[in-house]
Amino acid sequence: MLTRELLRFQRRSGFRPAFVDPAEPKLVEFASELLAAYEGAVGSRMRRAEQEELVDVLLKGARDPKLAAGLNKLILDRCSFDPVRSVDYPAERRRLFEAAAAALPGAGGSIEAYREALLAREGAGEFMASDIYGDLPDNERLTGWRPLYPAELLHRYNIALVQGLLVYADDLEVTAADSNPAELRRLFKYLRFFRLLAEIRRLKPKGKGKVAVGMKISGPFSIFANTRKYALQLAAFFPALVNLESWSLSAEIRLDGRAGALKLDQGCGLVSHYRNFSSYVPEEIRMFHNLFREQLSDWTIARESPCLDGGGQEIVFPDLSFRREADGRTIHLELFHRWHRGQLDRRLALLEQKPDMQLLVGVDRALADDAAWKVLETDHPALAGRLFRFRDFPGVDRVRRVLDAFAETNSGEKKRCRKSMRT
């Protein structure tokens, strides 16, 4: 991610990112030299301070210092730095200094005697032989990085310019179309993964055989709490949109006291680095799937969640879908987190209008504390069997109990309806 001071853009009828040409020979050459500097440093386990001095020569000699610094920032984000040794440096230094203070009076002014007294202390020789300040940032070693080709770095730079501007966005208006419906479902998964607020509606596709949707995604400037985290999640979502055959984005950017529109589409030539969604599945979701398979045999998690008809061209995309093995019945689950209050109200209103929709609603405690939860239960008594609370991510046992209760309640209602029809 690029910081504010590294963003390159123009203010001409709005905000226009200063994209680079990933095929420009001189730019590719500079990116190659910059990447080579890091690749060589990894092999030699170079100290951070030494690495910075080496790279600084390239950065100061670049034609565009801000562009060079931005490329360097993207590489640094892919690097890992570690202390020289895996020891408790503050504790070891304290013991060494205490031993040094105790040995000084008995050394008789002899440096050799003083040094021998220190080396006689267990572990002191090994600690002194290494850098005793190895835990400080400048002395950390470059132990690894995720390499990439020069063209990939330049494509990522163009994506990062847009991401840096989206951090300062109001609502985003997005259109997305693809001839493969699975690509749109993958886009919805990214929306859910990054816990973004979005209203999704069907659109009439322009191309034959394509499926099109429109989305209104809330930006960080329309959120009242935790805007920084939400902004980063919105920026992280953007590369998923670029993967589609056809897309467009329009957003109002508020930066440095000025506002302007950011408008982009597939004609910008952006290339996404998102390839495999499974690599972005967070640990809590992966753990939930594993525990669910281990602990439950009467329910299974569907591999794909279908899009549900919300009426008025609105689309509901559940987080999870569950299939009961006994009768093949499918029940869906949608989760609402701290930023989703407006969406939650709309979803509850929809469920009251469509009581037959097989949808459960989980509400994060960060969104509804005890007082707010009581208000929800009071305002929506007919939805009591559909609602439950969780913290961060729901537990397997909690989901199982809600699934069983909802399935049995609705089965009883259907039986009563069929009996009344017969009589």
Side-chain angles (χ1 to χ4, degrees):
M1 187 73 69
L2 295 178
T3 55
R4 165 64 187 89
E5 61 273 11
L6 295 179
L7 292 179
R8 296 167 62 251
F9 57 87
Q10 298 173 338
R11 285 191 175 99
R12 293 181 182 176
S13 302
F15 287 84
R16 298 179 59 186
F19 294 133
V20 300
D21 181 3
E24 183 185 343
K26 289 186 178 180
L27 197 53
V28 172
E29 180 183 359
F30 176 78
S32 300
E33 293 175 352
L34 195 58
L35 290 167
Y38 280 89
E39 186 173 6
V42 170
S44 61
R45 290 179 58 86
M46 188 177 292
R47 293 192 307 121
R48 186 192 292 263
E50 297 171 337
Q51 169 66 20
E52 290 178 352
E53 290 178 4
L54 179 64
V55 171
D56 196 50
V57 175
L58 294 173
L59 299 183
K60 289 183 177 178
R63 291 182 300 168
D64 188 332
K66 181 178 284 191
L67 167 59
L71 294 174
N72 185 58
K73 171 64 166 58
L74 295 180
I75 299 175
L76 277 173
D77 289 344
R78 302 172 64 84
C79 293
S80 56
F81 292 88
D82 296 302
V84 178
R85 298 170 57 211
S86 298
V87 299
D88 187 345
Y89 276 92
E92 288 295 326
R93 279 196 297 268
R94 183 171 56 253
R95 283 193 288 269
L96 179 62
F97 295 156
E98 290 173 351
L104 186 60
S110 170
I111 295 179
E112 291 299 325
Y114 179 59
R115 182 175 180 81
E116 289 179 5
L118 285 180
L119 292 176
R121 175 184 169 273
E122 182 180 359
E126 183 181 2
F127 185 63
M128 292 170 63
S130 65
D131 194 333
I132 67 172
Y133 292 100
D135 58 329
L136 299 185
D138 282 350
N139 294 327
E140 290 181 335
R141 308 285 174 163
L142 179 58
T143 56
W145 74 315
R146 289 171 290 156
L148 68 171
Y149 295 109
E152 289 180 299
L153 175 61
L154 298 175
H155 281 300
R156 286 189 181 230
Y157 179 79
N158 285 338
I159 291 286
L161 289 177
V162 179
Q163 290 177 307
L165 290 174
L166 291 179
V167 169
Y168 304 96
D170 277 338
D171 292 346
L172 278 68
E173 291 287 346
V174 171
T175 62
D178 204 289
S179 55
N180 184 1
E183 292 298 325
L184 287 177
R185 287 196 296 269
R186 187 174 291 111
L187 182 69
F188 298 155
K189 286 184 178 180
Y190 277 105
L191 272 174
R192 284 301 182 188
F193 170 61
F194 291 114
R195 299 179 180 180
L196 299 177
L197 287 77
E199 298 176 29
I200 308 172
R201 63 191 185 281
R202 291 185 178 86
L203 297 178
K204 185 177 181 180
K206 295 182 179 180
K208 185 177 180 181
K210 287 189 176 182
V211 179
V213 297
M215 295 185 291
K216 183 177 181 181
I217 306 174
S218 297
F221 270 67
S222 62
I223 307 298
F224 294 102
N226 299 289
T227 55
R228 180 61 181 173
K229 182 178 179 181
Y230 187 89
L232 294 176
Q233 292 177 182
L234 176 63
F237 164 76
F238 174 69
L241 178 65
V242 177
N243 267 331
L244 299 177
E245 293 176 355
S246 302
W247 62 272
S248 67
L249 177 148
S250 177
E252 188 75 6
I253 305 298
R254 300 180 183 274
L255 182 59
D256 298 337
R258 299 173 63 181
L262 171 67
K263 295 184 178 181
L264 302 168
D265 58 31
Q266 71 277 357
C268 296
L270 297 175
V271 176
S272 173
H273 52 277
Y274 285 4
R275 294 291 178 267
N276 185 4
F277 178 76
S278 62
S279 63
Y280 295 94
V281 177
E283 182 61 29
E284 67 266 21
I285 297 180
R286 192 176 293 113
M287 184 180 299
F288 178 86
H289 278 250
N290 292 337
L291 291 176
F292 199 92
R293 283 193 297 266
E294 293 174 3
Q295 298 179 15
L296 277 70
S297 59
D298 49 344
W299 291 92
T300 57
I301 301 178
R303 295 187 61 182
E304 294 286 347
S305 291
C307 296
L308 307 180
D309 183 10
Q313 299 300 313
E314 184 179 357
I315 297 174
V316 177
F317 187 75
D319 291 88
L320 295 164
S321 296
F322 304 90
R323 181 179 183 275
R324 189 161 65 172
E325 294 300 313
D327 53 11
R329 182 177 179 182
T330 300
I331 297 176
H332 312 284
L333 170 62
E334 190 173 16
L335 303 177
F336 292 84
H337 299 275
R338 66 174 69 244
W339 299 297
H340 299 169
R341 179 65 209 216
Q343 278 190 316
L344 174 61
D345 291 338
R346 288 194 298 273
R347 189 67 71 245
L348 297 181
L350 173 64
L351 290 177
E352 289 186 333
Q353 295 172 7
K354 294 191 170 186
D356 291 335
M357 181 176 283
Q358 301 297 292
L359 182 66
L360 301 175
V361 173
V363 182
D364 195 328
R365 290 179 181 270
L367 171 60
D369 57 17
D370 292 343
W373 183 249
K374 289 181 179 179
V375 172
L376 283 178
E377 290 181 317
T378 302
D379 292 346
H380 304 279
L383 304 180
R386 298 176 181 265
L387 297 174
F388 70 95
R389 281 196 298 174
F390 63 91
R391 191 179 302 279
D392 296 329
F393 201 84
V396 170
D397 186 61
R398 180 62 169 146
V399 171
R400 177 192 60 78
R401 285 188 278 117
V402 176
L403 283 171
D404 288 341
F406 181 73
E408 291 304 317
T409 300
N410 279 258
S411 296
E413 290 179 356
K414 290 182 178 180
K415 290 178 181 178
R416 286 193 295 272
C417 290
R418 287 196 294 267
K419 183 177 180 181
S420 62
M421 291 175 64
R422 288 195 299 268
T423 58

